[in-house]
Amino acid sequence: MSLFGLGSRNQKTFRPKKSAPTGSKGAQLQKHIDATLGSGNLREAVKLPPGEDINEWLAVNTVDFFNQVNIMFGTLTEFCTPSNCPTMTAGPKYEYRWADGVTIKKPIEVSAPKYVEYLMDWIESQLDDETIFPQRLGAPFPPNFRDVVKTIFKRLFRVYAHIYHSHFQKIVSLKEEAHLNTCFKHFVLFTWEFRLIEKAELAPLEDLVDSIIQL
């Protein structure tokens, strides 16, 4: 059984896969991502294509990374349960509490699967908000767009940190660590290229992140 294989009967996602913004150059840029990823050169794949708008590039990649993490975590729901993971942690030193600033203003302690559920719902609401991620061609991005993107990536990193610290042995036993490592490498190189996550936030996987950046 392949943990991440599309044919796996265990394949689960929390929600349908999101599509790239349609009214923008989303589909075009998505093709560029697919083509450059196919080359195997992740450092080149993350770079802004010549002549393209930085916000368009951030938008289409945000959808792409959301889909990747959503699918990956969806395959772990059998193992990441409230009883196995009663808090959202990344090793013994890091615990994440949930707040979205709207419905939950004060950070609350929740299980790891509940945290990820809250997170995916919150990200999806941002992606579906056309004042943040415009769908119409030529519609402007908001002034705080990069700040929203940074928050999304910071929180997606926490899912990777939890997977590596709490579920990596399960992934190794299923011989799927190469897939996880490639997805995470792509994620790190993209966030590093555009300075989307503060160094301190990367501390739970600092050695792994440093090894990716310095390769």
Side-chain angles (χ1 to χ4, degrees):
M1 181 187 74
S2 171
L3 187 61
F4 301 110
L6 291 174
S8 166
R9 62 186 171 80
N10 256 9
Q11 180 76 10
K12 299 172 187 168
T13 56
F14 280 108
R15 60 222 71 231
K17 188 175 179 182
K18 301 292 289 181
S19 298
T22 50
S24 65
K25 292 182 181 172
Q28 215 177 314
L29 290 174
Q30 184 62 51
K31 282 181 186 170
H32 178 87
I33 292 172
D34 293 343
T36 49
L37 281 178
S39 74
N41 188 337
L42 292 177
R43 282 186 195 280
E44 287 303 313
V46 301
K47 289 181 179 174
L48 178 67
E52 295 296 347
D53 179 76
I54 178 69
N55 287 336
E56 296 271 11
W57 186 238
L58 290 175
V60 75
N61 276 280
T62 301
V63 172
D64 209 34
F65 285 113
F66 165 77
N67 283 331
Q68 280 186 34
V69 176
N70 181 35
I71 290 168
M72 188 176 305
F73 190 81
T75 65
L76 287 171
T77 52
E78 195 180 322
F79 317 109
C80 187
T81 61
S83 55
N84 289 340
C85 303
T87 54
M88 179 63 172
T89 58
K93 291 189 348 189
Y94 300 96
E95 180 185 326
Y96 302 116
R97 298 185 176 208
W98 178 256
D100 59 15
V102 182
T103 55
I104 301 173
K105 296 188 177 178
K106 188 177 177 186
I108 57 171
E109 182 180 304
V110 292
S111 69
K114 192 66 184 173
Y115 183 99
V116 177
E117 183 185 330
Y118 277 137
L119 172 58
M120 295 303 179
D121 284 344
W122 176 78
I123 294 175
E124 192 159 37
S125 72
Q126 306 303 299
L127 298 178
D128 288 342
D129 186 339
E130 293 201 24
T131 66
I132 302 172
F133 284 82
Q135 295 284 331
R136 284 186 303 107
L137 186 63
F141 287 87
N144 69 332
F145 179 68
R146 187 176 276 249
D147 291 334
V148 174
V149 168
K150 281 183 171 182
T151 302
I152 290 172
F153 275 88
K154 176 178 74 176
R155 290 174 171 175
L156 284 176
F157 169 81
R158 294 172 179 177
V159 182
Y160 275 116
H162 177 71
I163 290 172
Y164 272 106
H165 278 282
S166 298
H167 303 293
F168 190 65
Q169 286 311 312
K170 174 57 67 177
I171 285 171
V172 169
S173 72
L174 293 167
K175 298 182 171 54
E176 293 293 348
E177 69 271 24
H179 180 83
L180 172 64
N181 290 340
T182 300
C183 289
F184 185 61
K185 181 179 180 182
H186 184 203
F187 179 89
V188 167
L189 290 173
F190 186 82
T191 57
W192 188 254
E193 177 79 9
F194 299 102
R195 301 298 186 263
L196 298 176
I197 304 179
E198 299 295 327
K199 188 86 169 128
E201 286 284 339
L202 300 171
L205 296 176
E206 184 178 18
D207 290 347
L208 183 55
V209 169
D210 285 347
S211 71
I212 290 169
I213 292 166
Q214 289 163 13
L215 277 176

